[in-house]
Amino acid sequence: MKLKKVIFALKLNLRKLILFLAIFCVIILFTASLFVNYYIQKKQLIDISLSVNKEYASKIAHNTNSQFQMILKELSYSANLLGDSFDKTQFVQSEVDRLKFQSNFFNSVIVSDKNGKILNYAPSQIALNKDVINTTLGFQQSIKTKNTVITSPYYSIRNNLIVFISQPIFDKDKNYLGFIGGAIYLKDPNIVNELLTSKYGYKDSYMYVLDNSRKIIFHPNKDRIGTLAENNTGLDFMTSNDSGQIRLTNSQGVDNLAGFAKVECTNWIVVSQQPTNKLLEKIPNLIYKIIAYMFVFYLLVFFIIWRISDLISTPLNRLATIASNLNKPDIDKQIKNVDPWYFEVRNFKRSLLQSSYNFKRKISTLNHYINTDPLTGLYNRRGMELHIDQLMKSKVPFAIIAIDIDHFKKINDQYGHEQGDLVLKITAQRIKDNFRDIDFCCRVGGEEFIIISPIHNQKLSLNIAERVREILEKSPIDDIPAVTISMGIAHWPQTSTDINKVFRIADEYLYKAKTEGRNCIRYKV
């Protein structure tokens, strides 16, 4: 009776009644559980993140050390060979070429005499001067120490930011002859990038590498490579220990959870770290999950609300839940299954059905405009990428047929851009009409088209492309002579499992078709 009097005195309507009851429930649940769990979850997450970052940094450091051990062995092997044939120019050059091109360890390789004069180098494109004495850091340290050298980052004579690795060359009498060394260009693709790039960062985690003088060897921000790491509260701890974990403030003043390990043969420090605030973003979700399992307390708190408002709130709750999932395909059926036994629910249900219809119609329209080219009606690059993703996930082999209209610029120049647009539209339609229904026709720019053709027989893709080429060759457009096309074909996964490489090869064969007379097809055998 007292509860009814309170409700009557407050003049609560349906919306206010349900709102106050829900707020009451949430306040009770959060008050009882939030403070109990927050600090426990926070500490556990921080400890786990520190441990994971340390483990990951240690794994990367170990792999990097193994690779550099292999690099040093390669250099040492070459140095031993050259010690016996140092005066044989052709042999020295062949060994330099082997070391450069046999693996992707180095961006460039050189052999120097004991005075710092370059004798041989690879690749030839770097065009080094053999008539001067070099005094860069790598040359100075190699000649001075007459031992294995791994330098800090510095700028080479070609103005590349590099790390230089060298091994001394001795003859059979242990006389020092010079050294063989390789340069790793830190701002170009190199083995350090391959070993250290973090491809699966979580919550903005990232990795960087410091040498023993605190210069940055690798960093996701290339502008920081080669600079000195400063204003980082964890530097002293990391440089004085072989591995570990630490909570630190980085040079930008951001609180981070870091794990680190040293690369044994280079004494580099591999650091894997994650912004603390990004990690702690997940605490509320964890707390909500814990609250959900507090079934007994949950039942006790919601018993009162259930007795008063279950019949009132159930249909509204169902509709409210459905309202947040209007993009699901069976949503209309779910809405219709809700029993509208009073006025507010009937209006809500009617409005929700209308909203669902409007939402789907707008989404369908937006998808059409987003994924198609407005001039030709073919799919654009975004639509093409979505289709390729579906084919690759389904592991369906397909051909990529790159098409380019021959001499299209001349058509624009001679007949005007309006006629040029007409040529594009008609050519696009003819391409679409003469490929199969399962082939995916796209315009990717200008007079360039891409056909994604699901196919198991590579020869069949050539036959289809040749038929389209012949049809276009014999089909004039208004007063414009017949438009011809050039094509390049590559196949996934037969040509390569890397889709970017397949596109690149298709483009290369298209360019080959253009340079070999146009109105033809070139493809990967």
Side-chain angles (χ1 to χ4, degrees):
M1 292 297 296
K2 289 183 179 180
L3 179 60
K4 290 182 179 179
K5 290 181 179 179
V6 171
I7 294 173
F8 180 78
L10 293 174
K11 298 181 180 179
L12 294 176
N13 58 26
L14 176 63
R15 180 180 295 178
K16 290 181 179 179
L17 177 61
I18 295 176
L19 178 62
F20 286 153
L21 290 175
I23 291 175
F24 171 77
C25 174
V26 171
I27 290 175
I28 294 298
L29 287 173
F30 271 81
T31 302
S33 61
L34 183 61
F35 293 103
V36 175
N37 292 290
Y38 177 80
Y39 290 102
I40 295 175
Q41 295 300 324
K42 179 180 178 180
K43 186 177 185 305
Q44 287 181 340
L45 283 174
I46 290 174
D47 290 344
I48 290 171
S49 178
L50 288 170
S51 177
V52 168
N53 280 319
K54 177 185 175 182
E55 181 178 351
Y56 184 61
S58 298
K59 180 179 178 181
I60 296 298
H62 175 75
N63 291 342
T64 304
N65 184 69
S66 298
Q67 287 292 327
F68 271 85
Q69 291 283 8
M70 189 179 300
I71 290 173
L72 292 174
K73 287 180 180 179
E74 284 276 357
L75 283 173
S76 179
Y77 175 79
S78 294
N80 290 334
L81 292 178
L82 295 175
D84 297 330
S85 306
F86 197 69
D87 56 346
K88 298 178 181 178
T89 302
Q90 186 174 356
F91 176 83
V92 175
Q93 184 63 50
S94 66
E95 185 60 21
V96 169
D97 290 336
R98 182 193 67 80
L99 197 59
K100 168 63 182 76
F101 298 110
Q102 180 174 280
S103 68
N104 64 340
F105 290 157
F106 301 110
N107 297 92
S108 61
V109 179
I110 65 99
V111 171
S112 170
D113 66 14
K114 62 183 179 181
N115 298 314
K117 187 176 180 181
I118 296 175
L119 301 179
N120 300 84
Y121 61 85
S124 60
Q125 291 87 343
I126 60 177
L128 298 177
N129 189 345
K130 294 184 178 181
D131 297 324
V132 299
I133 301 299
N134 290 280
T135 59
T136 56
L137 179 64
F139 279 73
Q140 289 180 350
Q141 291 186 2
S142 299
I143 294 172
K144 181 179 179 180
T145 62
K146 297 181 178 61
N147 206 335
T148 300
V149 167
I150 301 176
T151 70
S152 296
Y154 71 94
Y155 283 94
S156 68
I157 56 177
R158 303 297 296 176
N159 204 33
N160 290 309
L161 184 63
I162 69 170
V163 166
F164 190 74
I165 305 171
S166 70
Q167 291 280 23
I169 300 172
F170 297 95
D171 63 17
K172 60 183 179 180
D173 298 320
K174 303 302 180 182
N175 294 314
Y176 180 68
L177 302 178
F179 64 89
I180 181 169
I184 298 174
Y185 297 175
L186 296 181
K187 293 192 175 182
D188 290 345
N190 58 68
I191 188 173
V192 178
N193 296 142
E194 295 177 6
L195 290 171
L196 304 177
T197 298
S198 179
K199 296 181 180 178
Y200 303 102
Y202 176 70
K203 292 290 186 182
D204 290 349
S205 61
Y206 63 96
M207 187 170 63
Y208 59 94
V209 181
L210 308 173
D211 70 1
N212 54 12
S213 63
R214 299 186 179 183
K215 279 189 176 181
I216 298 176
I217 301 290
F218 171 82
H219 197 282
N221 180 359
K222 288 187 177 181
D223 292 336
R224 298 198 62 190
I225 296 176
T227 63
L228 193 65
E230 297 177 317
N231 302 321
N232 185 315
T233 59
L235 286 175
D236 291 338
F237 180 78
M238 291 189 293
T239 54
S240 59
N241 292 275
D242 291 333
S243 65
Q245 56 193 45
I246 183 173
R247 185 170 180 175
L248 55 83
T249 301
N250 67 13
S251 57
Q252 280 76 43
V254 178
D255 186 10
N256 278 268
L257 303 170
F260 67 93
K262 289 186 178 179
V263 180
E264 183 178 352
C265 67
T266 63
N267 209 30
W268 292 352
I269 304 172
V270 178
V271 185
S272 175
Q273 68 183 33
Q274 175 183 29
T276 306
N277 65 324
K278 290 294 182 180
L279 173 71
L280 298 183
E281 284 179 352
K282 66 187 297 185
I283 288 184
N285 289 331
L286 291 175
I287 293 176
Y288 297 150
K289 290 179 180 179
I290 292 172
I291 292 173
Y293 288 110
M294 298 173 62
F295 178 75
V296 176
F297 185 72
Y298 180 92
L299 183 62
L300 177 63
V301 172
F302 277 93
F303 177 78
I304 299 172
I305 298 176
W306 173 76
R307 293 301 300 268
I308 297 173
S309 63
D310 181 62
L311 292 176
I312 301 172
S313 62
T314 297
L316 286 176
N317 285 338
R318 288 185 64 190
L319 289 174
T321 302
I322 291 170
S324 63
N325 296 283
L326 289 179
N327 59 325
K328 290 187 176 180
D330 62 341
I331 200 68
D332 291 346
K333 182 179 179 181
Q334 293 183 36
I335 296 173
K336 291 176 182 178
N337 287 336
V338 175
D339 183 16
W341 63 272
Y342 60 90
F343 178 78
E344 287 84 356
V345 176
R346 281 196 299 271
N347 281 350
F348 194 1
K349 178 179 178 179
R350 189 182 304 112
S351 299
L352 205 56
L353 281 169
Q354 185 63 38
S355 297
S356 174
Y357 170 75
N358 292 335
F359 177 80
K360 290 177 180 178
R361 184 178 61 185
K362 289 180 180 179
I363 289 298
S364 177
T365 302
L366 286 173
N367 282 336
H368 174 76
Y369 284 116
I370 289 172
N371 295 324
T372 58
D373 170 48
L375 178 64
T376 63
L378 300 184
Y379 288 97
N380 59 18
R381 190 178 295 275
R382 184 179 183 277
M384 176 185 70
E385 290 173 352
L386 292 174
H387 187 67
I388 288 175
D389 286 343
Q390 292 176 355
L391 290 176
M392 292 178 68
K393 288 177 181 177
S394 303
K395 297 183 179 179
V396 176
F398 56 89
I400 292 177
I401 304 174
I403 300 175
D404 190 273
I405 298 177
D406 297 331
H407 303 298
F408 184 72
K409 184 177 183 302
K410 291 183 179 180
I411 295 174
N412 274 335
D413 293 343
Q414 184 174 352
Y415 298 97
H417 288 282
E418 184 175 348
Q419 286 295 99
D421 288 347
L422 177 63
V423 168
L424 284 174
K425 288 192 286 187
I426 294 177
T427 301
Q429 188 60 46
R430 288 175 177 172
I431 288 173
K432 183 178 180 180
D433 291 344
N434 288 284
F435 273 97
R436 303 169 302 169
D437 291 340
I438 62 172
D439 297 329
F440 203 77
C441 302
C442 314
R443 182 188 177 205
V444 295
E447 66 274 22
E448 299 174 11
F449 301 87
I450 293 289
I451 310 300
I452 308 301
S453 180
I455 206 155
H456 292 277
N457 186 334
Q458 296 185 28
K459 186 176 181 181
L460 182 57
S461 64
L462 176 62
N463 293 339
I464 295 173
E466 178 61 24
R467 176 170 55 83
V468 173
R469 185 196 66 77
E470 290 177 354
I471 290 172
L472 290 175
E473 180 184 32
K474 300 173 183 178
S475 305
I477 300 174
D478 290 348
D479 296 331
I480 302 172
V483 173
T484 63
I485 58 175
S486 298
M487 300 187 190
I489 305 177
H491 299 82
W492 184 92
Q494 293 92 336
T495 301
S496 174
T497 57
D498 182 348
I499 187 63
N500 293 322
K501 185 175 180 181
V502 179
F503 268 102
R504 191 161 57 249
I505 292 173
D507 282 340
E508 289 173 0
Y509 279 98
L510 172 60
Y511 178 77
K512 186 175 182 181
K514 302 287 282 187
T515 58
E516 292 182 2
R518 295 182 171 85
N519 192 22
C520 62
I521 302 171
R522 295 295 180 264
Y523 61 97
K524 179 73 174 179
V525 178

